[in-house]
Amino acid sequence: MSETSPATMPPANTAASRKVFIKTYGCQMNVYDSQRMGDALASGGYVATDAIEDADLVLLNTCHIREKAAEKIYSELGRIRRMKADRAEAGKDLTVAVAGCVAQAEGEEIIARAPVVDLVIGPQTYHRLPEALSRVAKGERVVETDYAVEDKFEHLPQASARQVRSRGVTAFLTVQEGCDKFCTFCVVPYTRGAEVSRPFAQIVAEAKSLAEAGVREVTLLGQNVNAWTGEDAAGRAVGLGGLLFALAEIPGLTRLRYTTSHPRDMDDELIAAHRDLGGLMPYLHLPVQSGSDKILKAMNRRHTAADYVALIERIRAARPDIALSGDFIVGFPGETDADFEDTMRLVETVGYASAFSFKYSARPGTPGAEMGGHVEESVKTERLARLQALLRDQQMAFAKGLVGETLSVLVEKPGRHPGQLVGRSPYLQPVVMPESVGEIGDVVEIEIADAVANSLIGRGTPATQSFGMVA
């Protein structure tokens, strides 16, 4: 996932439509949120543009996870301020909005520091976006970050079938938000709130609508997605595993994924879903952050390295072909050379198909920022380089191990070059294939001919499960 990406909406029905430019920072949840804001704005007459210069509304959907996230937004706002001034000289208006986790964390401070901003809106109040923009149009500068927890999923705008089709054959579907884990390095509990599960019936209804509109693969989203709980259609208490079993029954929905998980919420029902559901892809993102028990305790992860490894063994026993992905933080306060070597040993023990790794950076307001023993930047840089080299070697070894294998690939879009198509393997890798293998929306059996830096190269075989794009 790139750090920034445009939201997409259907083409304009009228030349007089207002245009919105949405810039998305961060995770899949923010991408999903941008789509939902786009849906809400489309109902109010806005259409998307990829050119910020053409926009009547610029909306920055922000992320607070990485270092100096807020400062990056203020720098971007400085550039937008000059553009807004030029627009004003020409007698034209430009509305500027900041959304997302920085908006939730900074609130009124954004309005105070950046007069160019007309609207600040938090992740749980996107359903109020059209009304907030109406207030802005009347000359008010608006901050909308207060919300009732029980309202989180009550007002999600629904995308039309045409909007869904414009986004392709894969889709995100939020099922859970917030976090109760309070890891000492993380701002999510403060910006997204407590863990709240979306109702079972809402999730199933949206998944059915997505499938009817041509979506073939759904990724369930949540800050701690496997903390989801609810009651199924029969009134029985179920967790994420039970939800996955229900979604697997939806006609046309051939693939399921979920992210991001916490080891403490990986229960027997969910492991059974990996064992029994062929449509649940054999790829699991299960962050551990460190291999040192001392650092895990300081992070408030509430599991040990041995707990994590034992969990991986149980999952692999249920689904031997599963590929693992993880998150790692190096240089957390108090991390010694020995602690870091514990992390390297854990990586060697588990073996990852992919992973994300970062240097620790203090997030204001988190316990980690107040801890002693902060690690020198040069030490963090050296450790991260070593860890990433090992993870790259493992990723390439996993990919090379697939050469000669035949994989089911969902065809997603045209390739960069004529005659090519691109899809995703069960392990989430891009697969480049000849266009003769099938149509967008097909699930095709592909022999893997080669593995390069960030993708697989495939040859088609006659076996195809054809769905095609819905007209």
Side-chain angles (χ1 to χ4, degrees):
M1 181 70 60
S2 64
E3 185 186 43
T4 61
S5 55
T8 57
M9 283 186 282
N13 295 321
T14 168
S17 296
R18 292 166 293 177
K19 295 182 180 179
V20 56
F21 175 87
I22 303 179
K23 188 170 185 178
T24 306
Y25 297 79
C27 66
Q28 294 100 326
M29 185 72 81
N30 270 18
V31 173
Y32 179 88
D33 286 346
S34 288
Q35 290 176 348
R36 288 310 184 126
M37 285 188 283
D39 295 340
L41 290 167
S43 65
Y46 282 91
V47 294
T49 177
D50 292 333
I52 191 171
E53 299 82 6
D54 295 337
D56 302 291
L57 167 63
V58 173
L59 194 157
L60 305 181
N61 189 11
T62 61
C63 176
H64 211 296
I65 296 296
R66 301 290 166 249
E67 185 176 10
K68 299 179 181 176
E71 294 308 316
K72 291 179 181 178
I73 299 306
Y74 288 119
S75 177
E76 181 77 13
L77 289 171
R79 291 187 286 271
I80 294 170
R81 178 182 58 79
R82 292 188 290 273
M83 185 175 71
K84 187 171 184 175
D86 292 342
R87 191 79 64 88
E89 287 184 6
K92 298 179 181 179
D93 292 329
L94 176 64
T95 302
V96 180
V98 178
C101 291
V102 173
Q104 189 69 37
E106 303 278 332
E108 296 279 358
E109 185 177 349
I110 294 175
I111 291 286
R113 286 186 58 180
V116 68
V117 176
D118 303 292
L119 168 64
V120 176
I121 190 162
Q124 277 74 45
T125 51
Y126 293 152
H127 59 284
R128 300 180 198 159
L129 183 57
E131 184 269 338
L133 287 171
S134 295
R135 290 163 59 191
V136 169
K138 296 174 183 176
E140 186 179 349
R141 298 180 75 199
V142 178
V143 177
E144 279 279 8
T145 55
D146 293 332
Y147 65 93
V149 170
E150 61 271 18
D151 288 346
K152 276 192 174 186
F153 297 112
E154 292 302 314
H155 307 285
L156 288 175
Q158 295 300 309
S160 68
R162 184 161 61 94
Q163 288 169 321
V164 172
R165 283 195 291 272
S166 74
R167 295 169 188 157
V169 296
T170 65
F172 295 129
L173 199 169
T174 289
V175 302
Q176 181 271 341
E177 276 205 44
C179 182
D180 296 340
K181 302 300 187 289
F182 287 92
C183 297
T184 57
F185 54 80
C186 186
V187 297
V188 166
Y190 311 102
T191 58
R192 290 278 182 170
E195 289 177 358
V196 178
S197 295
R198 189 177 180 188
F200 178 94
Q202 281 189 24
I203 297 167
V204 172
E206 183 171 348
K208 286 180 178 177
S209 295
L210 291 170
E212 290 166 0
V215 169
R216 300 299 167 229
E217 176 181 291
V218 164
T219 299
L220 307 183
L221 295 181
Q223 272 78 40
N224 277 324
V225 67
N226 56 342
W228 182 89
T229 58
E231 290 187 355
D232 67 11
R236 294 170 298 199
V238 291
L240 185 65
L243 176 63
L244 288 163
F245 275 102
L247 296 178
E249 298 296 320
I250 296 175
L253 196 59
T254 61
R255 290 182 155 200
L256 297 169
R257 302 183 188 272
Y258 63 91
T259 194
T260 291
S261 304
H262 194 290
R264 288 170 51 206
D265 293 320
M266 198 79 196
D267 61 17
D268 292 343
E269 184 185 42
L270 186 51
I271 294 173
H274 280 283
R275 180 192 65 213
D276 298 336
L277 294 179
L280 178 56
M281 293 295 95
Y283 175 88
L284 175 61
H285 184 66
L286 192 62
V288 62
Q289 308 300 356
S290 175
S292 162
D293 287 348
K294 183 190 83 177
I295 297 302
L296 288 170
K297 184 176 181 180
M299 290 177 167
N300 195 37
R301 294 290 291 176
R302 301 184 193 175
H303 63 77
T304 65
D307 293 336
Y308 180 84
V309 171
L311 177 59
I312 296 299
E313 290 172 351
R314 289 178 57 213
I315 296 166
R316 282 181 165 153
R319 187 70 186 259
D321 64 335
I322 201 161
L324 272 299
S325 173
D327 287 348
F328 296 90
I329 295 172
V330 302
F332 189 79
E335 184 185 74
T336 64
D337 289 341
D339 295 322
F340 175 71
E341 293 303 329
D342 286 342
T343 297
M344 295 290 282
R345 276 190 291 273
L346 183 141
V347 171
E348 290 167 350
T349 298
V350 172
Y352 289 90
S354 65
F356 302 93
S357 53
F358 311 95
K359 292 186 288 187
Y360 172 75
S361 59
R363 303 268 63 82
T366 61
E370 306 302 320
M371 291 181 179
H374 281 256
V375 178
E376 292 281 346
E377 194 67 22
S378 60
V379 175
K380 288 193 284 187
T381 298
E382 187 273 333
R383 288 177 184 170
L384 182 63
R386 284 186 57 202
L387 175 61
Q388 290 183 337
L390 175 58
L391 291 168
R392 279 195 302 270
D393 288 346
Q394 289 189 348
Q395 180 176 353
M396 183 52 69
F398 178 80
K400 290 290 187 184
L402 297 174
V403 174
E405 299 289 324
T406 298
L407 303 179
S408 293
V409 177
L410 173 62
V411 183
E412 292 187 9
K413 58 186 179 181
R416 291 183 179 179
H417 303 290
Q420 287 183 344
L421 291 171
V422 176
R424 291 279 176 177
S425 80
Y427 308 113
L428 208 58
Q429 303 135 305
V431 181
V432 181
M433 308 160 288
E435 64 180 4
S436 58
V437 301
E439 304 291 334
I440 292 172
D442 289 345
V443 177
V444 297
E445 297 299 310
I446 295 292
E447 181 187 354
I448 303 304
D450 197 8
V452 295
N454 293 304
S455 60
L456 303 175
I457 309 300
R459 287 190 289 264
T461 67
T464 301
Q465 185 181 2
S466 182
F467 296 97
M469 286 294 286
V470 177

